[in-house]
């Protein structure tokens, strides 16, 4: 129930739903004779179009990725593991499986494992009631698709904060004080801050550090998938604000 409530509040607080509701409200107010309502509707529509452009999505992503410094040793503490954070899952006729974002992280984690020889830890609990923990699906994919079975499977965490808490506890029990952290570059600042609060030093191992938009014409053309990207990055900033206030 808490997960559904949190998801509903997040949807209401962020575009596109927030802007759609604002547009409806503005149109209704304009129809009832309040002229500024028309301006509200126009601004909401313009905001939706702007967030659907590669330019807006790319600039939002860049505000998160500018803080990422890949491969910097974590405070001089020897790196003893590779932590791969779960993302999303997909549901098919044969049951659940890792989604595209999770698969990208697994691919990067497996490559880092082959390069360094360090053991892998995958982390993530059930993403919906009745579903398998995402960490279990990640372990299955790592073994079957990449030939890199993880040493640890942390299958309880419901969010990044718990990823950090439970993973840090597992690694400290093994005498490990620092680890590579594998997740998407836009997610790394929040994730590394969460691990730091748990006393585990991390070295950034970002998935896909993208280029910063330069304003070329093609970056002004709206597309639905870029609206989804903008939603991801705005949600990430909200998550960072919530973590900062709560922790």
């Amino acid at each position: 129930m808490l997960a559904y409530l949190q998801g509903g509040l997040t949807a209401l607080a962020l575009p596109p739903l927030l802007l759609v509701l604002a547009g409806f409200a503005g149109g209704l107010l304009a129809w009832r004779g309040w002229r500024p309502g028309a301006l509200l509707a126009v601004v909401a529509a313009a905001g939706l179009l702007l967030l659907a452009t590669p330019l807006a999505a790319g600039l939002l992503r860049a505000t998160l990725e500018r803080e990422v410094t890949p491969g910097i040793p974590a405070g001089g503490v020897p790196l003893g593991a590779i932590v791969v954070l779960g993302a999303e899952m997909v549901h098919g006729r044969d049951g659940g499986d890792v989604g595209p974002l999770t698969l990208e992280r697994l691919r990067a984690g497996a490559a880092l494992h082959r390069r360094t020889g360090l053991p892998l830890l995958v982390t993530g609990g059930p993403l919906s009631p009745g579903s398998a923990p995402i960490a279990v699906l990640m372990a299955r994919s790592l073994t079957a698709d990449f030939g890199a079975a993880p040493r640890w499977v942390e299958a309880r965490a419901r969010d990044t904060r718990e990823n950090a808490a439970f993973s840090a506890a597992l690694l400290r029990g093994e005498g490990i004080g620092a680890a590579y952290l594998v997740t998407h570059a836009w997610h790394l600042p929040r994730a590394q801050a969460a691990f730091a609060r748990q006393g585990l030093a991390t070295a950034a191992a970002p998935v896909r550090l993208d280029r910063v938009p330069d304003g070329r014409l093609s970056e002004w053309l709206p597309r639905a998938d870029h609206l989804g990207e903008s939603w991801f990055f705005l949600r990430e900033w909200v998550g960072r604000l919530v973590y900062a206030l709560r922790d």
Side-chain angles (χ1 to χ4, degrees):
M1 180 61 70
L2 181 60
Y4 286 122
L5 178 61
Q6 183 177 344
L9 291 175
T10 300
L12 285 170
L14 293 175
L17 185 55
L18 178 64
L19 291 176
V20 169
L21 293 176
F24 275 130
L28 180 61
L29 290 171
W31 179 67
R32 296 293 298 269
W34 192 62
R35 295 182 63 183
L39 177 61
L40 175 61
V42 170
V43 169
L48 275 175
L49 282 174
L50 181 61
L51 289 174
T53 63
L55 180 68
L59 290 175
L60 284 170
R61 182 189 62 243
T63 63
L64 296 163
E65 294 184 350
R66 68 187 176 190
E67 301 176 38
V68 176
T69 306
I72 297 299
V77 181
L79 298 167
I82 300 167
V83 179
V84 184
L85 302 186
E88 89 291 35
M89 64 181 295
V90 294
H91 298 275
R93 294 183 179 180
D94 297 326
D97 204 350
V98 295
L101 294 178
T102 304
L103 192 60
E104 283 188 316
R105 296 178 186 182
L106 293 177
R107 178 175 177 270
L112 186 58
H113 165 71
R114 286 191 293 270
R115 190 164 71 247
T116 64
L118 294 174
L120 288 156
L121 183 156
V122 292
T123 171
L127 300 182
S128 59
S131 66
I134 187 66
V136 172
L137 302 178
M138 293 166 71
R140 185 179 70 188
S141 177
L142 270 173
T143 303
D145 301 328
F146 300 101
R151 180 179 297 180
W152 304 280
V153 179
E154 187 292 298
R156 294 183 296 150
R158 296 168 297 178
D159 54 24
T160 303
R161 187 169 181 253
E162 291 189 353
N163 287 143
F166 299 151
S167 298
L170 268 174
L171 294 179
R172 277 197 299 267
E174 300 281 344
I176 296 172
Y180 282 106
L181 185 59
V182 179
T183 186
H184 282 81
W186 46 264
H187 183 228
L188 263 170
R190 178 160 63 105
Q192 286 195 285
F195 274 81
R197 283 191 289 270
Q198 296 300 324
L200 186 80
T202 57
V207 177
R208 276 201 299 119
L209 266 171
D210 288 300
R211 69 173 186 85
V212 178
D214 55 15
R216 66 188 67 177
L217 180 61
S218 61
E219 293 175 346
W220 288 93
L221 300 176
R223 215 170 66 187
D225 56 333
H226 295 300
L227 181 59
E229 290 177 1
S230 292
W231 179 85
F232 259 112
F233 306 142
L234 287 170
R235 187 185 68 164
E236 191 62 23
W237 272 113
V238 170
R240 293 183 67 178
L241 176 62
V242 169
Y243 279 28
L245 294 174
R246 182 173 61 184
D247 299 331

